[in-house]
Amino acid sequence: MAFLEQENSTQQQKQHRAWWNRPLIGDQSVTERISSLVKGGKKEEVPEKVIKTHADALQAIHKLVKRALSIDNGKYGNSEFLAFVKLKRAFAESHEGYENLDRYLQLLHAGISAKHTFIALERMEFKFYGSKHALLYDYVEALFQSNIPQAEFLDSLHAKFVEVQPQLRTEVGKEVLQQYYQNLETITKHRFGFRLLRSFKRHKMTNYSMLNTVAKIIDGLDRLDLHDLGILNTEVIAHYETFQRLGEIIGMPESLVNPKTFGRMLQYVALEEKYKTAYPKFQELVVLLEEWYRNFTIAQNLRNEYTPKKYKRVKEFGTSIPGVAIYNKYKAYFS
């Protein structure tokens, strides 16, 4: 009975409320429903920390794009240069057809790069072979026949040179031995140069002119289409005896000693020589664009999370992000 009396009292209170304050449907009045709708549609503020992170990313992007555009030029977009970039990756990552070739490529490249130094050693060993000079020459031969590590080889070489040079009577003899030591040190300080010279010595090969022959072939390739492996294979076939001997020296397995393999190696060395100044700048460009992508991802993720549907509009979130075009231009060549 008390419950019914309480319910009647509530109904009477609702009847006496103003029309705009009476329920339309259910228990909510017009003002209550409007208030509820306004409150439900109110958008949140984007946190200040988010806005700052986005601003920092955009600031970095503008700087990176400016630097990237200053480096970018026509030569990076040409098909031959981009073929070289892909070729570097093919060797480094042992893509199909390039499996296990990188080591032999590095040995070949070391020999061609230092061909003049190799030939200088050869001439000294033949032209100046007095008894005192032979002390150092024979010692070097013995070191190379052992499995001595590179660092230990260099230390032992230096100690023997210091021991032998004072024993020479003439200044000319001392100067020749000094040049021999310096040339030998130049080659063997390079990891692949050390391995290549050791291989020459172990094969009892004292004629390094094959390196000069290969270098001349590569110099002549500048006039050819370096895309065409058929042409490069023809060059190899024309000097195949030299390449066979070189394959033996650098330790290539018999299955890899063929015109096709050497054609690919020639292609790489020729392109590397052609773009030796351009490629380091391209590497710098790639680093900038990878950093651009990191900041782009930050900015884009924030925009996707704090959308205008849920949050109050932030003007900066609606601006375009620069650098997309240059990134897309080169992204296929990134490591």
Side-chain angles (χ1 to χ4, degrees):
M1 189 70 179
F3 171 76
L4 290 175
E5 289 176 354
Q6 183 178 359
E7 185 178 8
N8 289 335
S9 174
T10 302
Q11 290 295 331
Q12 289 174 359
Q13 288 175 5
K14 288 181 179 180
Q15 292 295 330
H16 286 90
R17 286 161 63 182
W19 67 268
W20 61 81
N21 210 21
R22 295 177 191 169
L24 294 174
I25 300 173
D27 294 330
Q28 281 189 317
S29 67
V30 173
T31 53
E32 287 171 339
R33 183 167 290 276
I34 292 173
S35 175
S36 175
L37 289 172
V38 170
K39 186 176 181 181
K42 187 177 181 181
K43 295 180 180 180
E44 297 180 41
E45 297 277 355
V46 176
E48 285 297 323
K49 185 177 180 180
V50 170
I51 295 174
K52 185 180 185 307
T53 301
H54 180 273
D56 290 344
L58 271 190
Q59 185 179 24
I61 284 169
H62 280 285
K63 290 179 180 179
L64 290 165
V65 170
K66 185 176 180 181
R67 288 170 60 193
L69 289 173
S70 70
I71 294 173
D72 185 32
N73 59 51
K75 73 173 63 174
Y76 299 137
N78 80 66
S79 58
E80 186 178 84
F81 178 81
L82 295 178
F84 170 55
V85 174
K86 287 185 175 180
L87 193 61
K88 283 184 76 72
R89 187 184 298 179
F91 274 103
E93 298 177 2
S94 291
H95 290 184
E96 185 178 354
Y98 296 85
E99 296 92 343
N100 305 314
L101 284 182
D102 189 55
R103 176 177 179 272
Y104 308 115
L105 173 68
Q106 296 296 342
L107 288 169
L108 174 63
H109 200 225
I112 293 170
S113 299
K115 61 183 183 295
H116 297 303
T117 310
F118 272 94
I119 291 171
L121 285 179
E122 176 191 331
R123 287 173 180 168
M124 287 178 188
E125 287 174 349
F126 277 98
K127 189 174 181 180
F128 301 95
Y129 203 84
S131 60
K132 299 303 180 184
H133 289 88
L135 288 174
L136 186 58
Y137 298 163
D138 293 345
Y139 183 73
V140 168
E141 291 280 347
L143 286 178
F144 275 127
Q145 296 308 318
S146 69
N147 291 319
I148 189 170
Q150 181 183 11
E152 191 177 335
F153 172 89
L154 288 165
D155 290 341
S156 299
L157 172 65
H158 178 72
K160 192 65 175 179
F161 167 72
V162 171
E163 175 195 326
V164 172
Q165 195 192 37
Q167 299 179 33
L168 293 164
R169 296 178 183 177
T170 66
E171 290 302 315
V172 172
K174 289 180 178 180
E175 185 179 342
V176 167
L177 201 69
Q178 176 79 34
Q179 290 176 0
Y180 178 82
Y181 167 72
Q182 289 174 342
N183 284 330
L184 190 57
E185 186 183 44
T186 297
I187 291 174
T188 54
K189 273 187 173 180
H190 188 285
R191 179 164 58 109
F192 288 103
F194 172 74
R195 293 179 184 178
L196 182 60
L197 185 56
R198 181 176 62 188
S199 188
F200 268 109
K201 295 294 186 184
R202 287 182 174 181
H203 282 82
K204 303 296 183 182
M205 294 286 293
T206 55
N207 183 355
Y208 308 136
S209 62
M210 66 175 70
L211 296 175
N212 205 34
T213 301
V214 176
K216 286 180 179 177
I217 294 170
I218 290 169
D219 288 341
L221 295 178
D222 190 48
R223 300 185 300 273
L224 302 175
D225 180 5
L226 294 177
H227 276 102
D228 192 339
L229 277 173
I231 294 175
L232 297 175
N233 293 345
T234 301
E235 289 293 315
V236 173
I237 292 169
H239 302 85
Y240 197 55
E241 185 179 344
T242 296
F243 282 101
Q244 281 183 310
R245 288 164 60 208
L246 192 56
E248 182 184 354
I249 294 298
I250 63 179
M252 288 176 68
E254 199 171 318
S255 60
L256 292 178
V257 180
N258 57 66
K260 189 175 182 179
T261 297
F262 280 112
R264 285 171 170 164
M265 293 168 77
L266 284 183
Q267 183 185 42
Y268 178 90
V269 176
L271 286 170
E272 177 144 279
E273 178 63 25
K274 186 171 183 177
Y275 293 108
K276 62 185 176 183
T277 57
Y279 188 72
K281 295 299 290 183
F282 179 77
Q283 287 179 301
E284 185 181 343
L285 177 62
V286 168
V287 170
L288 289 172
L289 292 178
E290 287 176 339
E291 181 65 12
W292 173 90
Y293 184 72
R294 189 184 71 80
N295 282 280
F296 172 83
T297 302
I298 291 171
Q300 197 62 45
N301 285 346
L302 292 176
R303 293 181 179 200
N304 291 339
E305 183 174 352
Y306 295 91
T307 63
K309 289 184 178 180
K310 296 181 180 179
Y311 294 87
K312 286 187 176 179
R313 182 176 174 273
V314 176
K315 182 181 177 182
E316 290 76 14
F317 283 21
T319 59
S320 61
I321 300 177
V324 175
I326 189 171
Y327 176 80
N328 286 337
K329 182 179 177 181
Y330 295 114
K331 69 178 181 180
Y333 305 97
F334 297 169
S335 59

